[in-house]
Amino acid sequence: MILLIFLIIIIKFMNNKILVIGAGPIIVGQACEFDYSGTQACKTLKKENFEIILLNSNPATIMTDYEIADKIYIDEINLKNLIKIIIKEKPNFILPTMGGQTALNCILELMSSEYYFPEKNILGINKKTLINAESRCSFYKLIKKNGLKCPDSVIIKNNFNLKNIKKFFFPCIIRPSFTLGGLGSGIAYNKKNFLSLIKNAFSFSNEITIDKSIIGWKEYELELLIDNYNNIIVICCIENIDPIGIHTGDSITITPAQTLSDKEYQNIRDCSFIILKSIGLKGGGANIQFAINPINGDMVIIEMNPRISRSSALASKATGYPIAKISTQLAIGYNLINLINDITNNIPASFEPSIDYVVLKFPKFNFEKFNNKNFLSTVMQSIGEIMSLGKDFKESFIKGIYSITENDFLPSFIKGKNYLNFKFKLIKKIIIPNSKRIFYILDAFRMNFSIKNVFILSKIDPWFLYYIKEIINYEKKFFKFNNNNKLSFKKIDSCSNEFVCSTSYLYSISGNYNNEIRYSINKKILIIGSGVNRIGQSLEFDYCCTKASKFIKKIGIDSIILNCNPETVSTDYDVSSQLIFDPIIKKNIFFILNYFKPIFIISQLGGQTSLNTIKYNNFTKQLSINNLINNICNSKIKFNNFLKIEKLNIFKNFFLKNINDLIFFSNILKKPIIVRPSYIIGGTNIKILFNNYDLIKYISLFKKNKINIFIEKFLLNYKEFDIDLLTEKGKIIFFFISEHIENAGIHSGDSMIIYPSFSINKLIKKKIYYYISIICYKLKINGIINFQICCKNKIYIIECNPRASRSIPFISKATGIPIIYNYISIFFGYNIFFKKNRNNFYFLKESILPINKFLIKKLSSEMKSTGEIMSFGLSIQECFIKSYYIVKKNIFFNISNFFIYLKYLKKIDKIYTNSFYKKIFFDLHISSYVTFKKKNKYILSNKFKKIFNKNIFTTYSMIRLFLSSLNKNYTIIRKINNF
């Protein structure tokens, strides 16, 4: 009888297997919004007693944490791996609608392949619906069939002859199908530009549309949910403040829509219902984009996404409606009428959200890291975004500016400028869309531009310009008003406070209003988040904040998170006890301390942003770190003085306060030299100067003579290591050392990193441990800390970061040790989790570079990657093989003069050199590298044709290792350990 019950339980468990496809590494156009939706989907499925199998290649996300899914495959999202997992795990269902365009394209390949998987068991989408929505040709036909309008267009395939089109009307918009983030799209203004854009578009898709220009029209998008019974609700309507011509991900957006009449809203609402029903979408979310002509009110449908979209995370956080959770429940068979919204606990999910505040989204750009022109178009280029909430547009706008700039004032470029010259510059900057256009509009109103003039230049609706001008008119009054300590906290409850609900979503408004805080007698801890995603500070810190918040809640303490990023899991409704959506600035932290009175502040988990926020402030409740340690570790001059006192190896260095000193001392130190500012993120403005030409080029970046720069001798051909450790009162508890493949000179965020290290012996590891332990003991450091060191003849400590590093999620998943849980446990007297057994695997972390969107000529000491992937294997070669199956189109090869015969590297389309000399050489005589040829195996010779070059970062042993990994036909004579 017991055996029978056991078998029934096993059969029931086996019938609930579901494969969830993630979004892969963070790229421009597909960031951590999909990790948020995927994580929420996995948690929902767990509650429904599904066994979850997850496919995702991103180690930085909480989605690939051991608590989220039952089985996790950290591997590339492609058809080959998908079929392998299906054969091995035999899932009953697949959920692909939470992984962005990557997951949809992968599931379309599966449905089009010879391998059979029942289409009815693919949840939330089917092949016909997917093609009708994603293929612009099919979508436009469907729109016209239903009597609706789409832009006048010509649809062409890859084999189409352009000569067959008789007339072109310029400007026109080119859009490829099955792409994300506007990849391959563009606006053609003439024939020459048109042909180059067509060629570029066909490199990403076999089908493109040439749309008649609707530049200057107003753009709106609806977030919708539909169940299997054709019940449809609109979550919210999002309006782009910028007109069409700028990708919606790069535009400032607002909800609820402010310039849309009720008649127009009802029209686009009815159209969206017709589209969803005719396209055949069942059980899931969708996003539909509309354009409306501001002159005559004509409306056209631009496109549709038959999945949880990038805007869904924003809509979910703005309204308080858990879109990803409800969408997952709809996909597994629930209907909207019977589901309850968790935010309110007493309102059905079919109740459309209603909000009594204004929400703005501001995009974050990193043009300063690339060689691209600062110009916005139909291709998405923003790296992250923030969300701001206020009682009206003006308050929400000001808070949005504070959040994106991380300051409590409105920026201005006027100071010290010639009036006439700057006026002409303003006009140019407002006409041409760029990442700082909104700041130039503020300056235009400061210089008494009229609303009409700014509208003519920018085509931004006068409604928004009127209130932006009001902000400038009352600028001083606003600042005084906001600094009077008169703030109240309001709830995000998705029902405009019409019903009683115990939500944990909060935002602050200025004025004497009733507080809607849910008071608790529990002790509280404030976690300062990392704010907007950017290059150098991204999803990794959200992982740390999420894990910490969950553990704090488990031990019976209320966790409060301060953050302004709508993309992340840490700002989900069930992660913290109280979530405050506000700018991460000093003033807001003081208000939170006054209202909630937390016992501790955790600032080590939010990256450099949280540390900079508490830098000069006397917050006595900081957990594990104080201002003294923060200032010593982050200030290069103070840290080097400390190393000097402790008689540890330091570089020859100088601290400079003006350009004259920079010229003088750079000649005292023999070049190459490296220049480093303090308190930075992602290696910002760190440069390696090899000669006087580089020095002059660097000096030209400064507009003033006064600078605060630290220069030191740059050590060539030194190996670089990352060290992450957990300490308690200066005593090291955990010590992890990972090795860079590249030598010192490439930023750790861009370099390949291998854990565990393999090229140094136990004696050197002991020396490194000894040096680090001295620093930790003398400074009495508590908590997580990260060191970067370089080693050759001597061991040098490059820098110290008294916070969680970008590699914490990678190390946690490689070792199986929950570092963040142990971090919290140390301070509350709990036992730590220690894993003594070692595995035999090597783990490789490889950066993902946005080469499709930005011009990257070389890697340097300034970080440029947006995301990362992880691979592991029993040998380092196996790690390389898995990694380069993932990043197979372009390989950045960190050496200048290396000869290779491309015939034997068929898997690689291009090889880029990464050195300071921008040349690529190809040697057609492969025999110089091959000792002998036998049975199609090419044995590499130990003797390489070496060309002397001081600027080489990658060692020759690493090149041989790298080549042997690209193709199994290549083998290396010597073992890895002998390098």
Side-chain angles (χ1 to χ4, degrees), residues 346-527:
N346 55 7
I347 300 175
S350 56
F351 184 91
E352 291 190 351
S354 172
I355 59 178
D356 54 356
Y357 45 84
V358 175
V359 184
L360 278 169
K361 178 213 80 178
F362 281 76
K364 173 69 175 177
F365 300 91
N366 277 129
F367 282 107
E368 68 277 4
K369 289 182 176 286
F370 305 104
N371 299 309
N372 289 54
K373 186 180 177 183
N374 191 340
F375 174 71
L376 303 183
S377 65
T378 56
V379 179
M380 184 174 170
Q381 297 172 85
S382 63
I383 307 298
E385 61 190 42
I386 62 93
M387 185 177 87
S388 62
L389 301 98
K391 61 181 180 293
D392 54 27
F393 173 79
K394 290 183 286 188
E395 184 175 60
S396 185
F397 183 87
I398 290 172
K399 288 173 71 176
I401 297 289
Y402 289 174
S403 296
I404 205 71
T405 60
E406 293 175 354
N407 287 307
D408 56 354
F409 58 86
L410 299 179
S412 174
F413 303 112
I414 293 177
K415 191 176 179 181
K417 300 288 195 315
N418 179 279
Y419 177 82
L420 286 175
N421 291 342
F422 188 66
K423 186 177 181 181
F424 288 117
K425 183 181 179 180
L426 266 183
I427 293 170
K428 183 179 177 183
K429 291 292 184 181
I430 296 172
I431 290 174
I432 300 172
N434 61 83
S435 62
K436 296 179 181 178
R437 179 157 78 165
I438 194 67
F439 304 128
Y440 286 111
I441 289 174
L442 291 172
D443 277 344
F445 287 130
R446 287 187 181 105
M447 297 179 72
N448 298 321
F449 277 54
S450 67
I451 293 172
K452 183 179 179 181
N453 288 339
V454 177
F455 166 69
I456 291 168
L457 296 173
S458 66
K459 300 299 181 187
I460 293 175
D461 194 281
W463 189 93
F464 300 112
L465 297 177
Y466 173 80
Y467 286 108
I468 293 172
K469 187 175 183 181
E470 270 203 352
I471 291 170
I472 299 302
N473 291 342
Y474 297 98
E475 192 170 26
K476 291 180 181 179
K477 182 180 176 181
F478 262 102
F479 289 153
K480 185 179 178 182
F481 184 73
N482 279 337
N483 288 325
N484 273 340
N485 295 342
K486 295 179 181 178
L487 282 185
S488 306
F489 287 104
K490 293 291 182 181
K491 291 189 295 188
I492 304 171
D493 55 9
S494 78
C495 62
S496 295
N497 218 8
E498 293 178 18
F499 303 95
V500 177
C501 60
S502 55
T503 176
S504 62
Y505 272 128
L506 296 171
Y507 67 97
S508 66
I509 60 172
S510 57
N512 293 321
Y513 295 90
N514 291 329
N515 277 309
E516 297 176 3
I517 299 173
R518 186 183 66 195
Y519 288 98
S520 170
I521 61 171
N522 294 339
K523 293 179 179 178
K524 303 172 184 66
I525 292 178
L526 171 63
I527 301 171

Side-chain angles (χ1 to χ4, degrees), residues 54-116:
L54 174 64
L55 172 61
N56 202 344
S57 59
N58 191 348
T61 172
I62 192 76
M63 191 180 182
T64 50
D65 190 66
Y66 67 93
E67 291 183 314
I68 302 300
D70 298 290
K71 292 182 181 178
I72 302 167
Y73 288 85
I74 301 181
D75 217 336
E76 184 194 4
I77 301 168
N78 61 24
L79 179 61
K80 184 180 177 182
N81 289 332
L82 188 62
I83 292 173
K84 278 184 180 179
I85 294 168
I86 292 171
I87 292 170
K88 183 180 178 183
E89 299 293 342
K90 297 179 173 57
N92 302 96
F93 305 100
I94 299 176
L95 181 64
T97 53
M98 301 292 164
Q101 196 64 42
T102 300
L104 277 193
N105 289 349
C106 186
I107 204 69
L108 180 60
E109 285 184 52
L110 178 69
M111 290 188 286
S112 304
S113 68
E114 295 178 358
Y115 184 82
Y116 175 73

